[in-house]
Amino acid sequence: ILQHALMRTWDYWIANREPNELMDIRHYNAVGRISQALSLHANEAYDELNSKEKEIAEILFKAITEKNAENLEMRRPGKISEVAGLAEASEEQVIDVIEKFRKPGRSFLMPGTNVTLRADSMIELSHESLMRIWTRLSTWVEEEFESAVMYKRVSDAAAMYQIGKTNLWRPPDLQLALNWQKKQKPARTWAQRYDIAFERAIVFLDTSRIT
């Protein structure tokens, strides 16, 4: 994080210095200091994307990060082809987004630019600190965690209902689950990361809704 803040300070000084001006605190402040330099830089990359690419970026970063019940945030390398499936996008579109975040001077994603990306290439965060420092990513990680928790609750209830050990859901649990379903639009490809019985969970929700 310190290395990144110093690099950004240097780059800003090179581009914005007055004649004979030495590098100083104003250049450091301008890039967001150590607390925000990385987050602001990542946002610059994100802001270069069009609306579809921003959607892909969100799905990409949610796919390659993970937060567990102990609140531990971890990298979770994933294949480009898998991200493309989740995003309902072509592998070329996903690669275009990745390139924005791994070009020289950014390096938010690995592998580095010396590696040519293909459909089966594994993508991961360059460092776990990005999950804590980049505000946007921190929000995405939390959203993904909460969505996964709700899906697993529905899936567990569906399994218990199938063997006669619980009833169909009623409000407020049902309404919370339906709100989640409407907002997140979960798909089988996404759900398999957390529980493979996706169809059973959706049937349970639908049956609860109409009964």
Side-chain angles (χ1 to χ4, degrees):
I1 298 169
L2 175 61
Q3 180 185 28
H4 188 270
L6 292 174
M7 178 199 72
R8 290 285 283 166
T9 303
W10 174 272
D11 289 345
Y12 184 85
W13 173 66
I14 291 294
N16 298 279
R17 59 183 170 179
E18 301 293 337
N20 301 318
E21 182 185 18
L22 299 177
M23 184 161 42
D24 206 342
I25 193 69
R26 84 169 185 90
H27 307 102
Y28 172 67
N29 289 337
V31 300
R33 308 166 67 90
I34 195 169
S35 60
Q36 289 294 317
L38 191 150
S39 185
L40 293 175
H41 196 192
N43 280 336
E44 283 183 18
Y46 179 77
D47 290 339
E48 291 176 7
L49 307 176
N50 61 38
S51 57
K52 176 59 179 177
E53 289 173 332
K54 287 179 178 178
E55 179 184 324
I56 293 171
E58 179 175 349
I59 292 169
L60 164 68
F61 280 99
K62 284 182 175 180
I64 62 172
T65 55
E66 189 168 32
K67 177 180 174 181
N68 62 22
E70 288 72 44
N71 215 34
L72 181 64
E73 297 171 339
M74 300 170 290
R75 291 180 286 185
R76 186 180 185 274
K79 285 185 181 179
I80 287 176
S81 58
E82 294 172 353
V83 175
L86 289 169
E88 297 181 348
S90 70
E91 287 148 5
E92 290 74 18
Q93 286 176 301
V94 175
I95 289 172
D96 286 344
V97 170
I98 293 169
E99 295 293 2
K100 290 287 199 307
F101 289 94
R102 73 162 192 155
K103 69 182 189 180
R106 285 182 177 163
S107 304
F108 297 124
L109 295 174
M110 295 174 61
T113 52
N114 60 309
V115 176
T116 301
L117 299 180
R118 300 185 302 271
D120 62 349
S121 297
M122 298 294 290
I123 302 300
E124 65 177 322
L125 291 183
S126 57
H127 200 279
E128 288 173 352
S129 63
L130 191 61
M131 284 184 271
R132 298 184 297 274
I133 301 298
W134 185 17
T135 307
R136 190 185 304 275
L137 179 55
S138 180
T139 299
W140 285 341
V141 169
E142 187 62 30
E143 286 176 354
E144 180 70 6
F145 173 72
E146 291 176 357
S147 185
V149 167
M150 176 57 77
Y151 169 64
K152 286 185 281 189
R153 279 192 63 208
V154 174
S155 187
D156 290 345
M160 296 296 288
Y161 178 73
Q162 189 176 49
I163 60 176
K165 291 192 174 182
T166 192
N167 297 319
L168 294 170
W169 275 7
R170 295 287 181 264
D173 287 340
L174 175 60
Q175 193 56 54
L176 289 172
L178 292 176
N179 291 345
W180 160 80
Q181 185 181 30
K182 181 178 180 180
K183 179 182 178 181
Q184 298 297 332
K185 298 179 176 61
R188 188 173 187 273
T189 305
W190 171 83
Q192 284 185 318
R193 173 176 173 179
Y194 302 105
D195 191 307
I196 61 172
F198 175 67
E199 288 79 7
R200 182 178 64 189
I202 297 304
V203 168
F204 173 77
L205 265 189
D206 290 341
T207 306
S208 295
R209 177 175 53 82
I210 64 178
T211 300

